[in-house]
Amino acid sequence: MADDIAAERASLDETAIEESAADAYPLPDPLWKGDIGPGCAKVDPILIADSVRKTFGGLVAVDVEHVEIPRHAITALIGPNGAGKTTFFNLLTGFDKPDSGSWEFDGTDLAGVPAWKIARRGEVRTFQLTKAFGGLSVIDSMKLGARDQLGESFWACLIPPLWRAQERGIEERALELLKQFKLYEKRDDLALSMSGGQRKLLEMARALMSAPQLVMLDEPMAGVNPALTQSLLGHIVRLKQQGMTVVFVEHDMHMVQAIADWVVVMAEGRVVAEGKPTEVMKDPVVVDAYLGANMDRDLGEVVKEIRASYAASRPEGGSAQ
Ligand SMILES: Nc1ncnc2c1ncn2[C@@H]1O[C@H](COP(=O)(O)OP(=O)(O)OP(=O)(O)O)[C@@H](O)[C@H]1O
């Protein structure tokens, strides 16, 4: 496993990650305050969610008591299928409405705020399945992304020099991002003519049109060939080097260990564990959530039992919660 991770890290140089840039936004060490565990406080959180709950009929899809996302870090959100990861993403980014709960992004309450306004405030997301690009070219998809996220200014539309300047700015940013994502040569191609992996890159580039602070990526590597996976991993690390905070959903623990600073684990709608990537997969609660044992039992009870037996087996106190 360690060799695999080393190889994964070594291969990231395909996208020329500049080591010198890594310290531009140094992370607090440690990232958390107090006891480490589900819902633990962070030294510098960019997003704080409280009592966020979403049900579909009788099914509780999300029931997150408290979670904090560390600023400037790469956080992986992991968990078995149906754990509620995508639904939680949808809620936090305004693409779905919770039954209850609140969350703040960089000190601003975002509950009930629509997706386009959330994007304007600096929190953007990509989708598990890339959104339809219609018959648009790559460059037009980028420009439309800017409109989706930046919105149209009524006054700018009435004053030609203003909208021309805005158009120019959008085009320049789109071309710059396409260069960064190595899609510049494809700018006039139909977006739909690109491979699944290239569309994932395009979706990520498009999400950056509004110069966000927090980028939420839903399974960015799913269905992408290994070569492009390296490239995507490199791009995610580069977002962090540029000062953005990243949250990504991923099932492959090699990828998580290769790039994540922090891991949040969900199961049955709840956050059941948090920690550093190297530590969190040793947590028996996480092992259990992945193995799917106890599926028919109340998760809260299972978590309590496992933590109690784990603590008992470690006289010095075991895990924090
Ligand atoms: N629109 C919906 N209507 C009904 N049930 C839904 C809806 N969206 C999600 N669910 C259910 O909510 C639960 C959580 O789903 P969600 O997609 O958020 O999980 P996930 O952790 O992202 O899973 P995966 O890793 O498979 O993508 C699942 O049981 C799912 O079937």
Side-chain angles (χ1 to χ4, degrees), residues 56 59 61 80-87 128 219 251:
F56 294 108
L59 177 94
N81 291 332
K85 305 177 297 290
T86 295
T87 307
Q128 212 174 96
E219 298 203 30
H251 286 282

mmCIF file of all heavy atoms in Angstrom, residues 56 59 61 80-87 128 219 251, ligand 1:
data_model
loop_
_atom_site.group_PDB
_atom_site.id
_atom_site.type_symbol
_atom_site.label_atom_id
_atom_site.label_comp_id
_atom_site.label_asym_id
_atom_site.label_seq_id
_atom_site.Cartn_x
_atom_site.Cartn_y
_atom_site.Cartn_z
ATOM 1 N N PHE A 56 -36.105 11.305 2.155
ATOM 2 C CA PHE A 56 -36.873 11.041 0.937
ATOM 3 C C PHE A 56 -37.935 10.028 1.350
ATOM 4 O O PHE A 56 -37.613 8.857 1.563
ATOM 5 C CB PHE A 56 -35.990 10.461 -0.169
ATOM 6 C CG PHE A 56 -34.946 11.426 -0.669
ATOM 7 C CD1 PHE A 56 -33.608 11.257 -0.359
ATOM 8 C CD2 PHE A 56 -35.302 12.505 -1.470
ATOM 9 C CE1 PHE A 56 -32.644 12.140 -0.833
ATOM 10 C CE2 PHE A 56 -34.340 13.399 -1.948
ATOM 11 C CZ PHE A 56 -33.014 13.215 -1.623
ATOM 12 N N LEU A 59 -37.056 7.469 4.067
ATOM 13 C CA LEU A 59 -35.610 7.220 4.102
ATOM 14 C C LEU A 59 -34.833 8.459 4.552
ATOM 15 O O LEU A 59 -34.992 9.531 3.982
ATOM 16 C CB LEU A 59 -35.128 6.825 2.700
ATOM 17 C CG LEU A 59 -33.633 6.614 2.586
ATOM 18 C CD1 LEU A 59 -33.286 5.140 2.779
ATOM 19 C CD2 LEU A 59 -33.120 7.103 1.242
ATOM 20 N N ALA A 61 -31.760 10.276 4.268
ATOM 21 C CA ALA A 61 -30.587 10.271 3.380
ATOM 22 C C ALA A 61 -29.411 10.986 4.033
ATOM 23 O O ALA A 61 -28.266 10.573 3.885
ATOM 24 C CB ALA A 61 -30.933 10.934 2.050
ATOM 25 N N PRO A 80 -19.737 4.270 2.118
ATOM 26 C CA PRO A 80 -20.292 3.275 1.203
ATOM 27 C C PRO A 80 -21.386 3.861 0.309
ATOM 28 O O PRO A 80 -21.875 4.970 0.565
ATOM 29 C CB PRO A 80 -20.865 2.215 2.152
ATOM 30 C CG PRO A 80 -20.997 2.887 3.467
ATOM 31 C CD PRO A 80 -20.012 3.994 3.522
ATOM 32 N N ASN A 81 -21.768 3.117 -0.717
ATOM 33 C CA ASN A 81 -22.859 3.567 -1.589
ATOM 34 C C ASN A 81 -24.109 3.850 -0.761
ATOM 35 O O ASN A 81 -24.436 3.101 0.151
ATOM 36 C CB ASN A 81 -23.197 2.491 -2.633
ATOM 37 C CG ASN A 81 -22.084 2.339 -3.641
ATOM 38 O OD1 ASN A 81 -21.345 3.286 -3.900
ATOM 39 N ND2 ASN A 81 -21.942 1.149 -4.189
ATOM 40 N N GLY A 82 -24.770 4.954 -1.090
ATOM 41 C CA GLY A 82 -26.007 5.291 -0.403
ATOM 42 C C GLY A 82 -25.789 5.957 0.947
ATOM 43 O O GLY A 82 -26.742 6.168 1.708
ATOM 44 N N ALA A 83 -24.531 6.324 1.265
ATOM 45 C CA ALA A 83 -24.224 6.925 2.578
ATOM 46 C C ALA A 83 -24.786 8.339 2.708
ATOM 47 O O ALA A 83 -24.881 8.868 3.817
ATOM 48 C CB ALA A 83 -22.720 6.944 2.803
ATOM 49 N N GLY A 84 -25.104 8.974 1.569
ATOM 50 C CA GLY A 84 -25.651 10.329 1.627
ATOM 51 C C GLY A 84 -24.682 11.404 1.173
ATOM 52 O O GLY A 84 -24.955 12.602 1.315
ATOM 53 N N LYS A 85 -23.569 11.002 0.574
ATOM 54 C CA LYS A 85 -22.525 11.970 0.200
ATOM 55 C C LYS A 85 -23.027 12.964 -0.856
ATOM 56 O O LYS A 85 -22.888 14.175 -0.686
ATOM 57 C CB LYS A 85 -21.279 11.222 -0.324
ATOM 58 C CG LYS A 85 -20.739 10.181 0.661
ATOM 59 C CD LYS A 85 -19.565 9.413 0.110
ATOM 60 C CE LYS A 85 -19.838 8.574 -1.120
ATOM 61 N NZ LYS A 85 -20.678 7.390 -0.909
ATOM 62 N N THR A 86 -23.617 12.422 -1.925
ATOM 63 C CA THR A 86 -24.089 13.305 -2.996
ATOM 64 C C THR A 86 -25.235 14.184 -2.497
ATOM 65 O O THR A 86 -25.287 15.383 -2.798
ATOM 66 C CB THR A 86 -24.549 12.474 -4.218
ATOM 67 O OG1 THR A 86 -23.399 11.807 -4.739
ATOM 68 C CG2 THR A 86 -25.155 13.345 -5.296
ATOM 69 N N THR A 87 -26.118 13.608 -1.711
ATOM 70 C CA THR A 87 -27.236 14.397 -1.183
ATOM 71 C C THR A 87 -26.699 15.534 -0.314
ATOM 72 O O THR A 87 -27.180 16.673 -0.393
ATOM 73 C CB THR A 87 -28.207 13.504 -0.370
ATOM 74 O OG1 THR A 87 -28.586 12.402 -1.186
ATOM 75 C CG2 THR A 87 -29.446 14.264 0.061
ATOM 76 N N GLN A 128 -21.315 14.109 -10.266
ATOM 77 C CA GLN A 128 -20.808 12.754 -10.454
ATOM 78 C C GLN A 128 -20.835 12.392 -11.943
ATOM 79 O O GLN A 128 -19.856 11.916 -12.488
ATOM 80 C CB GLN A 128 -21.720 11.815 -9.671
ATOM 81 C CG GLN A 128 -21.043 10.606 -9.122
ATOM 82 C CD GLN A 128 -22.019 9.830 -8.243
ATOM 83 O OE1 GLN A 128 -22.642 8.888 -8.709
ATOM 84 N NE2 GLN A 128 -22.159 10.216 -6.992
ATOM 85 N N GLU A 219 -17.074 12.715 -7.026
ATOM 86 C CA GLU A 219 -16.424 11.610 -7.745
ATOM 87 C C GLU A 219 -15.737 12.073 -9.030
ATOM 88 O O GLU A 219 -16.073 11.611 -10.127
ATOM 89 C CB GLU A 219 -17.441 10.500 -8.026
ATOM 90 C CG GLU A 219 -17.994 9.906 -6.748
ATOM 91 C CD GLU A 219 -18.548 8.500 -6.930
ATOM 92 O OE1 GLU A 219 -18.040 7.779 -7.790
ATOM 93 O OE2 GLU A 219 -19.476 8.151 -6.200
ATOM 94 N N HIS A 251 -14.183 6.958 -3.812
ATOM 95 C CA HIS A 251 -14.264 5.616 -3.231
ATOM 96 C C HIS A 251 -12.894 4.961 -3.118
ATOM 97 O O HIS A 251 -12.695 4.084 -2.288
ATOM 98 C CB HIS A 251 -15.188 4.725 -4.079
ATOM 99 C CG HIS A 251 -16.632 5.054 -3.909
ATOM 100 N ND1 HIS A 251 -17.364 4.651 -2.816
ATOM 101 C CD2 HIS A 251 -17.487 5.763 -4.669
ATOM 102 C CE1 HIS A 251 -18.605 5.098 -2.922
ATOM 103 N NE2 HIS A 251 -18.702 5.779 -4.044
HETATM 104 N N1 LIG B 1 -34.046 12.059 -5.250
HETATM 105 C C1 LIG B 1 -34.072 10.989 -4.456
HETATM 106 N N2 LIG B 1 -35.228 10.350 -4.184
HETATM 107 C C2 LIG B 1 -35.272 9.280 -3.359
HETATM 108 N N3 LIG B 1 -34.189 8.763 -2.736
HETATM 109 C C3 LIG B 1 -33.015 9.353 -2.969
HETATM 110 C C4 LIG B 1 -32.892 10.500 -3.839
HETATM 111 N N4 LIG B 1 -31.587 10.870 -3.862
HETATM 112 C C5 LIG B 1 -30.940 10.005 -3.058
HETATM 113 N N5 LIG B 1 -31.779 9.109 -2.528
HETATM 114 C C6 LIG B 1 -31.438 8.043 -1.576
HETATM 115 O O1 LIG B 1 -30.730 8.669 -0.504
HETATM 116 C C7 LIG B 1 -29.675 7.820 -0.059
HETATM 117 C C8 LIG B 1 -28.365 8.568 -0.158
HETATM 118 O O2 LIG B 1 -28.054 8.690 -1.539
HETATM 119 P P1 LIG B 1 -26.758 9.452 -2.060
HETATM 120 O O3 LIG B 1 -26.781 9.400 -3.541
HETATM 121 O O4 LIG B 1 -26.684 10.777 -1.422
HETATM 122 O O5 LIG B 1 -25.610 8.518 -1.492
HETATM 123 P P2 LIG B 1 -24.064 8.473 -1.897
HETATM 124 O O6 LIG B 1 -23.310 8.287 -0.631
HETATM 125 O O7 LIG B 1 -23.729 9.650 -2.719
HETATM 126 O O8 LIG B 1 -24.007 7.152 -2.753
HETATM 127 P P3 LIG B 1 -23.031 6.760 -3.997
HETATM 128 O O9 LIG B 1 -21.657 6.597 -3.417
HETATM 129 O O10 LIG B 1 -23.608 5.468 -4.468
HETATM 130 O O11 LIG B 1 -23.131 7.867 -4.992
HETATM 131 C C9 LIG B 1 -29.728 6.559 -0.924
HETATM 132 O O12 LIG B 1 -30.453 5.574 -0.228
HETATM 133 C C10 LIG B 1 -30.473 7.011 -2.154
HETATM 134 O O13 LIG B 1 -31.174 5.937 -2.762
#
